[in-house]
Amino acid sequence: MPSHFYAPIKEDRFAFGIWCLQNRGRDPFGDQTRKEISAVDCIKGLAQRNCYGFEYHDNDIIPFGATPARRDEIVRELKKAMSDFDIKATMATTNTFYHPVFKDGAFTSSDPAVRLFSTQKVMHSIDLAVEMGAEIFVFWGGREGVEVDASKDPISASGWFRESLNFLCEYVISQGYNLKFSIEPKPNEPRGDLFLPTVGSVLAFIHTLDHPAMVGINPETAHIKMAGLNPYHEFAQALDSGKLFDVHLNGQKPLRFDQDLTFGSDDLKEAFFTTKLLLDHKYSGTIGFDAHPYRTESDPWDFVDRSMRTYLILREKVKAFNDNSEIQDLLKELNSASPALNGFTAKFSKDAAAKLKAMAFDPEALAARKLPYERLDQLLTEVLLGVL
Ligand code: GCO
Ligand code: MN
């Protein structure tokens, strides 16, 4: 296959966090290994690669504490770059984790002044997001957690977070902004334990808010695997609940520190299923990548190119899987057991309950059913290896 076959186009709706490109390879044990790239150069480089959009934190583009005049000047410059290079700001978020003021949480700090400072920072960040044209606004609670459980009642912490989010939803409504919120779960790091660690916990939390329809989930592959869970299933749960507002695709070995590996670099089968889920269920948000180029890289562009290319190749593999007659025949056979009983419990009635109670089953015969999953999995392996 010629390499240009997998060249991204705008309709693919790819987006990268500019913080990924600005990452300088610094880690807790070592200094930076590459130069920082300016926001404008990030945007330009992404646009040249036909990326649809970019994602940013307020302080990726506006330095913490910048004067209003400086802020306006930067916004003018960025908006010009976005229009010159034809690229959108698809997602915006707020840095509520870097400055020491957030050392014990932003919205979950036990100090109401810190909570209000955080809410105020997010209000400014929301105004900026709308000016930049973003329609998704993410909350990643990097400092919303604890090391010392004695320090904080998690129910109070949840209440503080809820109060701030409710206030911010009202702010968006009162301004007439077209903006949806999306919460990004993570189990730990940089805190020992973070609140809202998984998709399930965010889903439950959303339904305690005053405006649940405005709030969704931004699941990230790595965060899910840090908890030892299955990204395909976690993304699916968000999608099934109508809450998959955006995604962060990357890679991660299970149960380790946040590695932020490139999408598809550590587990192709898993990346395949995430891609398949988004395609099969017509996910219409952006395909956001949130990873760090390896510390050994001297610039981020191979990382950018390969993330999109891997996704596009996997998209072809999904098509190959969906079009393969042996696989589809097998799936048809697997999904056509006991057709007369299908949907029996879809509608409850006393009569249906009585019938079900009286229904005769032959558990031995049901247990004897052949399930050729070894064969099915091998067929997928061969699709991925390029044999089928
Ligand atoms: C992480 C997070 C962040 C967030 C981003 C959005 O490193 O754990 O993924 O990259 O996605 O900061 O707020
Ligand atoms: Mn992320």
Side-chain angles (χ1 to χ4, degrees), residues 19 184 218 220 223 248 290:
W19 64 88
E184 179 170 347
N218 171 15
E220 177 177 310
H223 299 178
H248 273 171
D290 181 10

